[in-house]
Amino acid sequence: MRRKVKHLFNYCVVPGQEKAVLKTGKTLEQFVAGLGLDGIELMVYRNVPYFESFEHLAVGVHLNYWPMWLAMYRNDKKTLQRFFPSKEALQEYYGTTYCMGWLRSIRANIKSALVEKPEYLVWHIAECTLEEVFTFEFKHSDLEIVTAAAAVFNRVADEIPEDVLVLFENLWWPGLRLTDPAVVRAFFEKITHKNVGIMLDTGHLMNTDPSLQLERDGIEYILKIVKALGQDRKLIRGLHLNCSLSGEYVKTFKRVYDDKCSNIERMKHVIKIDQHRPFSDTAVQKLLRAISPDYVVHELAYNDFNDFEQSIALQLAACGKVVPGGDEGG
């Protein structure tokens, strides 16, 4: 029998973040408690532990990831040279210039995450080159990517204790999109770590269908995809709960790659696709009932923590929950 669902929110340690939280008049602990949440999903995108421990709050940890990694794993020097013409550029993106160094970096990242003693780790399964982000002309199939991703994971999985759950996250790029049940099955058949599952990012899944216009449309679409997974729907142990209705942008942006594009410009483009807005429609409760996840992470975009607090409260209300002091939801 599954445990009571834990509601969390995404938290990234960046310079000034603690001060940003304190501007709400609360500490991070008080911010969590004030919303009636169970903790945080901590982003650990580094190879050394944080100076300050978040063990008392970090129920889960999101590992580092590289949107473009296949060329590094395959030692595809032609592709790497095209996008990273200097060793400095290669080093800046991967933290190294060769595959074994990259795998060591992944191991170090896992070790740093485990310092927080999380119940679960999150690992992205997708591949997208710096060009494909804009052109959407993908050169690799979902099956090809999940096969390579499983091989990468298995190379480093011995770093992860058996009692730590690994949740693989879907994106809208080639890989574990979740839209093809055969690909999902093929991926998990290749994984050697036994304690695994899916972290279903609702916004990422909505991004696979640009025809969606309303929250309720998105919810019904997610339910359809989940139902199609059959017995493998039981692999879904967590939700990154957020709404993305970016179809108009996806259908109209120019499919052109500028190799002079900066990281900031690239991120602005990705954010227009992947909106991370809160759900406000109570139909989202159908998702929670159908999936019965162990973890619901309110993974939302925000300008400041007052804005973040309001967005989380809005989505909690849609889920049938209220902040402490209100009436209990369904």
Side-chain angles (χ1 to χ4, degrees), residues 36-154:
L37 300 174
D38 299 287
I40 62 174
E41 182 179 284
L42 180 67
M43 296 180 182
V44 178
Y45 286 4
R46 46 192 272 158
N47 294 351
V48 294
Y50 289 120
F51 181 74
E52 174 191 0
S53 172
F54 292 87
E55 180 184 337
H56 60 300
L57 288 174
V59 176
V61 171
H62 196 305
L63 297 171
N64 193 9
Y65 74 100
W66 295 260
M68 177 181 170
W69 55 269
L70 189 63
M72 172 58 81
Y73 182 61
R74 291 181 169 176
N75 194 29
D76 180 353
K77 294 180 180 178
K78 182 179 179 180
T79 299
L80 291 174
Q81 179 67 27
R82 181 188 171 203
F83 292 105
F84 309 103
S86 68
K87 283 190 174 181
E88 290 75 20
L90 198 63
Q91 177 79 33
E92 182 180 357
Y93 190 81
Y94 294 104
T96 183
T97 59
Y98 61 106
C99 180
M100 288 307 297
W102 177 63
L103 291 172
R104 281 200 292 269
S105 183
I106 295 174
R107 285 181 177 275
N109 179 230
I110 291 170
K111 289 177 181 177
S112 298
L114 292 174
V115 167
E116 306 295 344
K117 294 185 169 51
E119 295 178 12
Y120 70 86
L121 303 174
V122 179
W123 182 301
H124 277 188
I125 302 296
E127 156 75 10
C128 186
T129 68
L130 306 184
E131 179 178 20
E132 291 168 341
V133 167
F134 294 98
T135 65
F136 272 41
E137 294 177 0
F138 302 110
K139 297 176 178 61
H140 302 287
S141 68
D142 289 350
L143 184 58
E144 188 177 0
I145 297 307
V146 300
T147 300
V152 172
F153 175 78
N154 290 339

Side-chain angles (χ1 to χ4, degrees), residues 138-203:
F138 302 110
K139 297 176 178 61
H140 302 287
S141 68
D142 289 350
L143 184 58
E144 188 177 0
I145 297 307
V146 300
T147 300
V152 172
F153 175 78
N154 290 339
R155 291 280 295 271
V156 300
D158 59 306
E159 294 288 353
I160 306 170
E162 282 296 328
D163 63 347
V164 175
L165 175 64
V166 180
L167 298 178
F168 297 104
E169 181 178 350
N170 60 297
L171 277 90
W172 63 98
W173 296 325
L176 195 68
R177 288 193 247 214
L178 302 181
T179 52
D180 187 339
V183 170
V184 175
R185 180 89 313 262
F187 173 70
F188 281 96
E189 285 176 347
K190 294 173 174 62
I191 296 299
T192 56
H193 189 75
K194 303 303 180 186
N195 195 5
V196 295
I198 294 170
M199 176 63 78
L200 193 166
D201 188 300
T202 55

Side-chain angles (χ1 to χ4, degrees), residues 11-20 43 46 50 54 302 305:
Y11 186 78
C12 183
V13 182
V14 295
Q17 194 79 319
E18 185 178 3
K19 289 182 179 178
M43 296 180 182
R46 46 192 272 158
Y50 289 120
F54 292 87
Y302 55 91
F305 274 82

Side-chain angles (χ1 to χ4, degrees), residues 179 218 257 280 297:
T179 52
Y257 170 60
S280 59
V297 185

